[in-house]
Amino acid sequence: MPDNVVRTTTSAATPATTTGHPANPEPTWSKAGLDFDHSADSWISVAGSAVLVSSEEALVAVDRATGRELWRRVPKTKPSDYSYAVSGDTVVFLENEGKPSEPALVEVIEAADGRTLWQASADDVVVFDKAIYMVECARGRDDCTSLRLDIRSGAPTWPAPARGSVDGDTVGVWHRRAPAEPALVAIAVEDPASAAERPWALVEAAKGTVLPGRAEHHAWYNLAAGDLLVITDHHASSGSDECRVAITATDARGGAERYSGAVYSGRRKNGECQNMLGPDFGTQFVGAGTRIAAVTDSGAPQLFDLATGTTVWTGSGTGSPLDGDGRSLLFSEFADQGALSLFDIETGAMKWTVPDPDFESTAMRQRRTIIAGDRVVVGGFLTAEGGYVTVVFDRESGRELQRYRGYLCGAGTDWVAVQAERDGRPALEFHR
């Protein structure tokens, strides 16, 4: 397939910003012929000098400076049935992930040249930044074992597999970066769908030892917070309109319950509970470390510490968690629309708020956000403009820095990628 790299200008106009920068600047490069996957958890990421593009038919790596194609991986099964994660200069390419009837295929790739470092298959695969967990099950999830492999070499790091099926729930918004591996990882030692009352435990990432503490199953999220096994139930207030998310924490080493508490999810503009504590199911918890963004019973933003079961701070106004990292948390007035507010994660002080960008909110057209470096990037469908628009804000002041006509595909500390139209064809634009 030809590279189709173009550097033509575009006549599309967007409202002027107050920065003195052009409203729709020329990209560093643009590339036609890549049908970007518009699913909620599909993002462009960067690994070294390679830009990873999740297209409808393949994962394509292009050169960051020129847009020239470096390599691609086409799924062996269905064209769109794949995902990927980036860890440093390596790319983990996954097929059939989470499909009980088919083995999951994993290939670890050198980002610079597309060379395969190793590949394998298993009943399930969980990816972290330093390791990949391979899960093998003899009879559904009733008889599973998990083994930790080094992400670059594929070599086992445990003396033997651990009994149970490892789970990959984490705190943080990753946008196709592999999540940071915790010291303790959640593992189902019995099938959660069975009659087992307390199927969840934690396994030591360093040694593969399953700790003795056990916890109930609530079909939501299971993860470690220090030495605690934390379980959440986002339907705790089913039948009411409280939007309550129940949280229980068990001592993973001793088995005693350490606390039982609750936070609340945000609401959509129509009043319905969001249930999730993030913008979609792919983001389990917005936050950093053991601290998660949530909402109080009155609808105010809050930061809650899973390790202690206490609220760190309560912010002003109302909001629903959208995005965040170790410096800031981004809340929206409603889960699906409304004004945007950025809070300092340490103090809870609101740094700025901007009016509702008026992006359309439907199942097919949702807001997308990325916080990277000193910028907050927000994208969505703007009816007044007749298409997708991506807006870049300064993290410290909330001042609008730049605006692009196009669908937000990804962003980093010094780049933004959007899918726009050039000469009547979709084209990926990479801006520096």
Side-chain angles (χ1 to χ4, degrees):
M1 174 178 172
D3 283 335
N4 295 322
V5 178
V6 296
R7 294 177 182 272
T8 58
T9 59
T10 175
S11 59
T14 55
T17 69
T18 59
T19 64
H21 297 300
N24 202 45
E26 272 296 288
T28 304
W29 50 262
S30 68
K31 187 175 179 68
L34 286 178
D35 295 324
F36 182 73
D37 180 5
H38 283 208
S39 56
D41 63 347
S42 182
W43 294 94
I44 285 177
S45 189
V46 167
S49 61
V51 177
L52 285 308
V53 182
S54 48
S55 77
E56 293 281 359
E57 296 182 350
L59 177 65
V60 183
V62 301
D63 181 74
R64 177 177 172 139
T66 65
R68 177 179 60 87
E69 183 171 319
L70 301 173
W71 52 266
R72 64 172 53 209
R73 285 298 187 277
V74 179
K76 298 178 180 66
T77 54
K78 297 178 182 177
S80 60
D81 192 12
Y82 75 91
S83 66
Y84 80 96
V86 170
S87 176
D89 291 333
T90 60
V91 180
V92 182
F93 183 69
L94 296 165
E95 296 183 58
N96 299 332
E97 188 182 13
K99 288 192 170 183
S101 60
E102 301 178 53
L105 309 177
V106 57
E107 180 183 2
V108 180
I109 304 165
E110 190 74 65
D113 57 14
R115 178 169 52 93
T116 298
L117 298 177
W118 61 274
Q119 55 188 325
S121 64
D123 289 316
D124 197 10
V125 176
V126 174
V127 179
F128 291 110
D129 61 340
K130 293 182 174 20
I132 295 177
Y133 289 77
M134 309 293 281
V135 181
E136 298 286 1
C137 300
R139 301 185 305 275
R141 292 186 73 181
D142 259 339
D143 186 13
C144 297
T145 59
S146 297
L147 184 62
R148 182 185 187 272
L149 308 182
D150 179 82
I151 196 167
R152 278 199 65 87
S153 69
T157 66
W158 293 346
R163 180 174 172 270
S165 176
V166 160
D167 194 75
D169 295 340
T170 59
V171 175
V173 183
W174 303 103
H175 298 310
R176 293 292 110 201
R177 289 176 295 120
E181 183 184 23
L184 299 174
V185 180
I187 186 168
V189 295
E190 297 179 82
D191 185 357
S194 71
E197 292 186 2
R198 303 176 73 83
W200 287 101
L202 295 180
V203 60
E204 294 178 327
K207 298 186 259 182
T209 302
V210 177
L211 302 181
R214 298 289 184 267
E216 295 178 347
H217 177 67
H218 290 290
W220 280 85
Y221 303 126
N222 324 276
L223 72 164
D227 282 350
L228 299 184
L229 170 55
V230 175
I231 308 293
T232 66
D233 180 3
H234 299 239
H235 284 152
S237 58
S238 182
S240 72
D241 63 350
E242 286 188 334
C243 303
R244 184 172 178 268
V245 176
I247 303 175
T248 57
T250 302
D251 185 334
R253 299 185 187 278
E257 184 177 295
R258 293 282 288 274
Y259 71 80
S260 177
V263 295
Y264 296 79
S265 76
R267 295 179 184 272
R268 302 182 184 93
K269 193 169 185 179
N270 64 7
E272 292 180 355
C273 294
Q274 172 75 349
N275 292 325
M276 300 171 292
L277 294 179
D280 54 60
F281 280 105
T283 303
Q284 290 99 355
F285 301 101
V286 174
T290 63
R291 301 181 301 173
I292 63 170
V295 178
T296 66
D297 57 354
S298 64
Q302 71 162 314
L303 184 69
F304 184 87
D305 193 343
L306 295 173
T308 62
T310 58
T311 297
V312 179
W313 51 256
T314 299
S316 57
T318 60
S320 183
L322 268 186
D323 211 329
D325 60 11
R327 289 171 53 190
S328 312
L329 296 175
L330 182 67
F331 281 79
S332 173
E333 182 182 3
F334 303 104
D336 53 354
Q337 53 191 294
L340 303 175
S341 300
L342 194 77
F343 293 82
D344 183 281
I345 197 170
E346 294 298 331
T347 66
M350 183 189 291
K351 298 185 73 67
W352 49 261
T353 184
V354 296
D356 186 350
D358 290 326
F359 290 138
E360 188 176 310
S361 177
T362 66
M364 299 298 294
R365 293 175 175 171
Q366 298 178 345
R367 282 179 304 184
R368 291 164 67 83
T369 63
I370 297 180
I371 296 179
D374 294 327
R375 303 186 296 180
V376 177
V377 187
V378 184
F381 189 90
L382 201 55
T383 304
E385 296 295 328
Y388 286 97
V389 172
T390 295
V391 185
V392 182
F393 298 97
D394 178 70
R395 190 201 283 240
E396 286 302 309
S397 66
R399 181 172 63 97
E400 183 177 319
L401 299 176
Q402 193 58 266
R403 164 177 301 239
Y404 307 95
R405 182 182 288 275
Y407 180 87
L408 174 59
C409 299
T413 57
D414 63 350
W415 61 273
V416 176
V418 300
Q419 186 180 51
E421 283 212 0
R422 286 180 173 266
D423 302 323
R425 297 181 63 195
L428 176 65
E429 295 186 349
F430 192 82
H431 296 266
R432 294 289 300 274

